[in-house]
PDB file of all heavy atoms in Angstrom:
ATOM      1  N   MET A 169      -4.877 -57.681 -20.206  1.00 59.00           N
ATOM      2  CA  MET A 169      -4.586 -56.694 -21.219  1.00 59.00           C
ATOM      3  C   MET A 169      -5.292 -55.375 -20.913  1.00 59.00           C
ATOM      4  O   MET A 169      -4.690 -54.318 -21.076  1.00 59.00           O
ATOM      5  CB  MET A 169      -5.044 -57.262 -22.570  1.00 59.00           C
ATOM      6  CG  MET A 169      -4.706 -56.405 -23.729  1.00 59.00           C
ATOM      7  SD  MET A 169      -2.980 -56.575 -24.122  1.00 59.00           S
ATOM      8  CE  MET A 169      -2.929 -55.782 -25.630  1.00 59.00           C
ATOM      9  N   GLN A 188       1.322 -29.621 -15.355  1.00 64.00           N
ATOM     10  CA  GLN A 188       0.518 -28.405 -15.449  1.00 64.00           C
ATOM     11  C   GLN A 188       0.734 -27.495 -14.250  1.00 64.00           C
ATOM     12  O   GLN A 188       0.408 -26.328 -14.293  1.00 64.00           O
ATOM     13  CB  GLN A 188      -0.962 -28.761 -15.548  1.00 64.00           C
ATOM     14  CG  GLN A 188      -1.320 -29.444 -16.839  1.00 64.00           C
ATOM     15  CD  GLN A 188      -2.787 -29.828 -16.878  1.00 64.00           C
ATOM     16  OE1 GLN A 188      -3.570 -29.406 -16.045  1.00 64.00           O
ATOM     17  NE2 GLN A 188      -3.155 -30.644 -17.837  1.00 64.00           N
ATOM     18  N   ASN A 194       7.576 -16.404  -5.249  1.00 65.00           N
ATOM     19  CA  ASN A 194       6.790 -15.576  -4.346  1.00 65.00           C
ATOM     20  C   ASN A 194       7.670 -14.448  -3.834  1.00 65.00           C
ATOM     21  O   ASN A 194       8.580 -14.665  -3.049  1.00 65.00           O
ATOM     22  CB  ASN A 194       6.262 -16.417  -3.182  1.00 65.00           C
ATOM     23  CG  ASN A 194       5.326 -15.628  -2.295  1.00 65.00           C
ATOM     24  OD1 ASN A 194       4.917 -14.526  -2.644  1.00 65.00           O
ATOM     25  ND2 ASN A 194       4.996 -16.169  -1.154  1.00 65.00           N
ATOM     26  N   GLY A 201       8.609   1.800   5.239  1.00 91.00           N
ATOM     27  CA  GLY A 201       8.430   2.521   6.488  1.00 91.00           C
ATOM     28  C   GLY A 201       7.085   2.184   7.073  1.00 91.00           C
ATOM     29  O   GLY A 201       6.147   1.839   6.344  1.00 91.00           O
ATOM     30  N   LYS A 210       7.022  -2.280  -0.410  1.00 93.00           N
ATOM     31  CA  LYS A 210       7.512  -2.361  -1.780  1.00 93.00           C
ATOM     32  C   LYS A 210       7.562  -3.815  -2.219  1.00 93.00           C
ATOM     33  O   LYS A 210       7.945  -4.695  -1.454  1.00 93.00           O
ATOM     34  CB  LYS A 210       8.920  -1.756  -1.865  1.00 93.00           C
ATOM     35  CG  LYS A 210       9.521  -1.800  -3.236  1.00 93.00           C
ATOM     36  CD  LYS A 210      10.922  -1.208  -3.233  1.00 93.00           C
ATOM     37  CE  LYS A 210      11.493  -1.295  -4.634  1.00 93.00           C
ATOM     38  NZ  LYS A 210      12.847  -0.775  -4.704  1.00 93.00           N
ATOM     39  N   LYS A 211       7.156  -4.054  -3.452  1.00 90.00           N
ATOM     40  CA  LYS A 211       7.264  -5.371  -4.081  1.00 90.00           C
ATOM     41  C   LYS A 211       7.700  -5.122  -5.511  1.00 90.00           C
ATOM     42  O   LYS A 211       6.912  -4.633  -6.324  1.00 90.00           O
ATOM     43  CB  LYS A 211       5.912  -6.093  -4.044  1.00 90.00           C
ATOM     44  CG  LYS A 211       5.947  -7.494  -4.598  1.00 90.00           C
ATOM     45  CD  LYS A 211       4.583  -8.145  -4.432  1.00 90.00           C
ATOM     46  CE  LYS A 211       4.599  -9.579  -4.881  1.00 90.00           C
ATOM     47  NZ  LYS A 211       3.301 -10.214  -4.680  1.00 90.00           N
ATOM     48  N   ASN A 213       8.727  -3.179  -8.355  1.00 88.00           N
ATOM     49  CA  ASN A 213       8.565  -1.759  -8.672  1.00 88.00           C
ATOM     50  C   ASN A 213       7.173  -1.244  -8.282  1.00 88.00           C
ATOM     51  O   ASN A 213       6.763  -0.179  -8.698  1.00 88.00           O
ATOM     52  CB  ASN A 213       8.826  -1.515 -10.162  1.00 88.00           C
ATOM     53  CG  ASN A 213       9.092  -0.060 -10.449  1.00 88.00           C
ATOM     54  OD1 ASN A 213       9.649   0.661  -9.620  1.00 88.00           O
ATOM     55  ND2 ASN A 213       8.687   0.403 -11.613  1.00 88.00           N
ATOM     56  N   TYR A 215       4.374  -0.298  -5.189  1.00 93.00           N
ATOM     57  CA  TYR A 215       4.301   0.132  -3.796  1.00 93.00           C
ATOM     58  C   TYR A 215       2.862   0.012  -3.308  1.00 93.00           C
ATOM     59  O   TYR A 215       1.920   0.191  -4.073  1.00 93.00           O
ATOM     60  CB  TYR A 215       4.777   1.579  -3.653  1.00 93.00           C
ATOM     61  CG  TYR A 215       6.280   1.695  -3.757  1.00 93.00           C
ATOM     62  CD1 TYR A 215       6.904   1.701  -4.994  1.00 93.00           C
ATOM     63  CD2 TYR A 215       7.067   1.771  -2.618  1.00 93.00           C
ATOM     64  CE1 TYR A 215       8.286   1.787  -5.100  1.00 93.00           C
ATOM     65  CE2 TYR A 215       8.446   1.861  -2.713  1.00 93.00           C
ATOM     66  CZ  TYR A 215       9.051   1.867  -3.955  1.00 93.00           C
ATOM     67  OH  TYR A 215      10.407   1.947  -4.052  1.00 93.00           O
ATOM     68  N   GLN A 220      -5.023   1.453   8.710  1.00 93.00           N
ATOM     69  CA  GLN A 220      -6.189   1.054   9.489  1.00 93.00           C
ATOM     70  C   GLN A 220      -7.300   2.039   9.154  1.00 93.00           C
ATOM     71  O   GLN A 220      -7.123   3.250   9.245  1.00 93.00           O
ATOM     72  CB  GLN A 220      -5.866   1.098  10.978  1.00 93.00           C
ATOM     73  CG  GLN A 220      -6.995   0.640  11.863  1.00 93.00           C
ATOM     74  CD  GLN A 220      -6.620   0.724  13.331  1.00 93.00           C
ATOM     75  OE1 GLN A 220      -5.819   1.561  13.723  1.00 93.00           O
ATOM     76  NE2 GLN A 220      -7.198  -0.144  14.126  1.00 93.00           N
ATOM     77  N   THR A 229     -10.297  -3.273  10.538  1.00 87.00           N
ATOM     78  CA  THR A 229     -10.384  -3.170   9.086  1.00 87.00           C
ATOM     79  C   THR A 229      -9.178  -2.415   8.565  1.00 87.00           C
ATOM     80  O   THR A 229      -8.933  -1.271   8.938  1.00 87.00           O
ATOM     81  CB  THR A 229     -11.683  -2.441   8.671  1.00 87.00           C
ATOM     82  OG1 THR A 229     -12.792  -3.142   9.199  1.00 87.00           O
ATOM     83  CG2 THR A 229     -11.798  -2.348   7.162  1.00 87.00           C
ATOM     84  N   ILE A 258      -5.874  24.955   0.399  1.00 91.00           N
ATOM     85  CA  ILE A 258      -7.230  25.272   0.874  1.00 91.00           C
ATOM     86  C   ILE A 258      -8.130  24.053   0.778  1.00 91.00           C
ATOM     87  O   ILE A 258      -8.943  23.798   1.657  1.00 91.00           O
ATOM     88  CB  ILE A 258      -7.809  26.456   0.063  1.00 91.00           C
ATOM     89  CG1 ILE A 258      -6.980  27.714   0.351  1.00 91.00           C
ATOM     90  CG2 ILE A 258      -9.275  26.670   0.381  1.00 91.00           C
ATOM     91  CD1 ILE A 258      -7.301  28.885  -0.536  1.00 91.00           C
ATOM     92  N   LEU A 263      -5.671  12.657  -5.993  1.00 93.00           N
ATOM     93  CA  LEU A 263      -4.781  11.864  -6.840  1.00 93.00           C
ATOM     94  C   LEU A 263      -5.532  10.665  -7.387  1.00 93.00           C
ATOM     95  O   LEU A 263      -6.248   9.993  -6.640  1.00 93.00           O
ATOM     96  CB  LEU A 263      -3.578  11.367  -6.025  1.00 93.00           C
ATOM     97  CG  LEU A 263      -2.787  12.432  -5.268  1.00 93.00           C
ATOM     98  CD1 LEU A 263      -1.770  11.774  -4.349  1.00 93.00           C
ATOM     99  CD2 LEU A 263      -2.093  13.362  -6.254  1.00 93.00           C
ATOM    100  N   ILE A 270      -7.404   8.910  -4.327  1.00 93.00           N
ATOM    101  CA  ILE A 270      -6.909   9.234  -2.997  1.00 93.00           C
ATOM    102  C   ILE A 270      -6.951  10.748  -2.811  1.00 93.00           C
ATOM    103  O   ILE A 270      -6.419  11.495  -3.630  1.00 93.00           O
ATOM    104  CB  ILE A 270      -5.461   8.732  -2.795  1.00 93.00           C
ATOM    105  CG1 ILE A 270      -5.365   7.238  -3.062  1.00 93.00           C
ATOM    106  CG2 ILE A 270      -4.947   9.091  -1.396  1.00 93.00           C
ATOM    107  CD1 ILE A 270      -6.201   6.365  -2.172  1.00 93.00           C
ATOM    108  N   HIS A 273      -5.921  14.889   2.570  1.00 95.00           N
ATOM    109  CA  HIS A 273      -6.692  15.850   3.358  1.00 95.00           C
ATOM    110  C   HIS A 273      -5.773  16.431   4.431  1.00 95.00           C
ATOM    111  O   HIS A 273      -5.213  15.693   5.237  1.00 95.00           O
ATOM    112  CB  HIS A 273      -7.904  15.158   3.988  1.00 95.00           C
ATOM    113  CG  HIS A 273      -8.723  16.043   4.859  1.00 95.00           C
ATOM    114  ND1 HIS A 273      -9.458  17.084   4.358  1.00 95.00           N
ATOM    115  CD2 HIS A 273      -8.915  16.033   6.197  1.00 95.00           C
ATOM    116  CE1 HIS A 273     -10.088  17.684   5.357  1.00 95.00           C
ATOM    117  NE2 HIS A 273      -9.767  17.069   6.487  1.00 95.00           N
ATOM    118  N   ASP A 306       5.713  11.482  11.127  1.00 95.00           N
ATOM    119  CA  ASP A 306       5.096  10.224  10.689  1.00 95.00           C
ATOM    120  C   ASP A 306       5.338   9.987   9.196  1.00 95.00           C
ATOM    121  O   ASP A 306       5.645   8.873   8.776  1.00 95.00           O
ATOM    122  CB  ASP A 306       3.588  10.233  10.953  1.00 95.00           C
ATOM    123  CG  ASP A 306       3.228  10.263  12.426  1.00 95.00           C
ATOM    124  OD1 ASP A 306       4.043   9.810  13.253  1.00 95.00           O
ATOM    125  OD2 ASP A 306       2.114  10.740  12.739  1.00 95.00           O
ATOM    126  N   PHE A 311       7.870   7.016   4.735  1.00 93.00           N
ATOM    127  CA  PHE A 311       8.611   6.952   3.484  1.00 93.00           C
ATOM    128  C   PHE A 311      10.079   6.561   3.688  1.00 93.00           C
ATOM    129  O   PHE A 311      10.880   6.659   2.774  1.00 93.00           O
ATOM    130  CB  PHE A 311       8.494   8.274   2.722  1.00 93.00           C
ATOM    131  CG  PHE A 311       7.169   8.446   2.040  1.00 93.00           C
ATOM    132  CD1 PHE A 311       6.080   8.980   2.713  1.00 93.00           C
ATOM    133  CD2 PHE A 311       6.993   8.052   0.721  1.00 93.00           C
ATOM    134  CE1 PHE A 311       4.850   9.125   2.090  1.00 93.00           C
ATOM    135  CE2 PHE A 311       5.765   8.197   0.087  1.00 93.00           C
ATOM    136  CZ  PHE A 311       4.695   8.725   0.778  1.00 93.00           C
TER     137      PHE A 311
END
Side-chain angles (χ1 to χ4, degrees):
M169 185 77 169
Q188 292 178 11
N194 186 11
K210 180 181 179 181
K211 183 176 184 178
N213 198 32
Y215 285 81
Q220 183 181 29
T229 302
I258 295 171
L263 307 171
I270 304 299
H273 178 68
D306 294 335
F311 284 86

